[in-house]
Amino acid sequence: KNVDASEIAAMEQGLIAEGMPESEIKRLCDVHVSVFQESLETQPAPRVPPGHPVYTFTLENRAVEEITLEIAQLLGKAGSLGEDEFFRQNKVKLEQLMARLSDIDLHYLRKENQLFPILEHYEITGPSQVMWALHDDIRDAIRTARGELAASKGHEAINTIRYVIKSIDDMVYKEENILFPMAMETLTEADWQKVAQGESEIGF
């Protein structure tokens, strides 16, 4: 009941150190979050000023949630229209929404290039290895969905898009309840200044 984000990260780190494959940690990642969800949700969110990297990451999460919610609401109409007719009416809209959603790559690139190396300096490698692999899964699924949309593979595209929005929403939860609180406990103010350096070169 009282476990915090750093302890979850330490447990995953310990499993990797004992020889459990990173792929297995990734597979169980949602299980870990579900087991500790009640405890995680009682912890206060990190309070950071505007301009702080965590503040910016969180703003981006609110923006991406608006897109995933819009997609989910749109897909909710598929049942009443029938999949083929829904796809015919909404293919262009889905293509536009998926193009917007693909900008999440910038968010992940900043995590990978700015935040993860500093966590690794503190020998915290487990969460970043697992999250990086999940980022790649999301990137691949977005590319697949956009390809299926372009090829008018309606059924496949709808299923892939559902996977994409769930995966992105799950990542938002993992960031805000595990990664960011743990990073706030670990990094110094000087570390956060290093994270912020070069952010604008990657983009937002």
Side-chain angles (χ1 to χ4, degrees):
K1 288 183 179 180
N2 301 315
V3 72
D4 66 22
S6 293
E7 289 172 300
I8 294 172
M11 282 187 273
E12 291 190 346
Q13 190 78 41
L15 290 169
I16 291 171
E18 290 169 9
M20 182 176 283
E22 175 196 312
S23 59
E24 186 69 0
I25 303 283
K26 185 181 84 167
R27 190 178 70 80
L28 292 168
C29 193
D30 289 337
V31 177
H32 299 163
V33 172
S34 296
V35 167
F36 300 117
Q37 187 167 1
E38 183 181 345
S39 170
L40 291 171
E41 290 178 354
T42 63
Q43 297 175 34
R47 297 180 65 86
V48 290
H52 189 284
V54 169
Y55 184 90
T56 307
F57 279 132
T58 305
L59 276 186
E60 287 181 318
N61 282 344
R62 301 292 77 79
V64 81
E65 282 174 338
E66 289 180 13
I67 302 171
T68 59
L69 178 60
E70 187 175 350
I71 294 171
Q73 289 173 338
L74 186 61
L75 292 179
K77 298 176 183 176
S80 57
L81 285 173
E83 210 170 67
D84 291 343
E85 179 60 20
F86 167 81
F87 189 74
R88 188 186 67 77
Q89 290 185 20
N90 294 284
K91 177 187 173 186
V92 172
K93 181 67 174 173
L94 285 169
E95 287 175 330
Q96 292 168 344
L97 286 165
M98 290 306 293
R100 288 173 60 201
L101 200 58
S102 66
D103 283 344
I104 193 70
D105 187 47
L106 296 169
H107 180 93
Y108 296 158
L109 282 170
R110 292 204 325 282
K111 281 170 66 183
E112 293 163 355
N113 292 286
Q114 306 296 114
L115 178 56
F116 289 172
I118 295 178
L119 286 174
E120 288 167 6
H121 172 75
Y122 289 98
E123 298 184 349
I124 300 171
T125 59
S128 55
Q129 288 172 353
V130 171
M131 278 195 170
W132 201 317
L134 291 169
H135 294 169
D136 287 342
D137 288 348
I138 291 168
R139 289 171 172 129
D140 288 345
I142 289 173
R143 279 193 292 271
T144 298
R146 295 184 75 182
E148 289 166 345
L149 285 168
S152 294
K153 295 179 179 178
H155 176 73
E156 293 89 341
I158 289 167
N159 285 339
T160 306
I161 291 168
R162 285 198 172 108
Y163 169 81
V164 167
I165 61 174
K166 183 182 187 309
S167 299
I168 288 175
D169 288 343
D170 287 350
M171 180 60 73
V172 168
Y173 186 91
K174 289 164 190 160
E175 287 179 0
E176 297 191 0
N177 290 278
I178 299 175
L179 179 68
F180 297 155
M182 177 198 65
M184 292 297 295
E185 284 182 26
T186 306
L187 273 60
T188 65
E189 189 58 40
D191 290 330
W192 285 116
Q193 289 174 8
K194 289 178 187 173
V195 174
Q197 287 169 6
E199 279 189 324
S200 58
E201 292 175 23
I202 296 171
F204 302 95

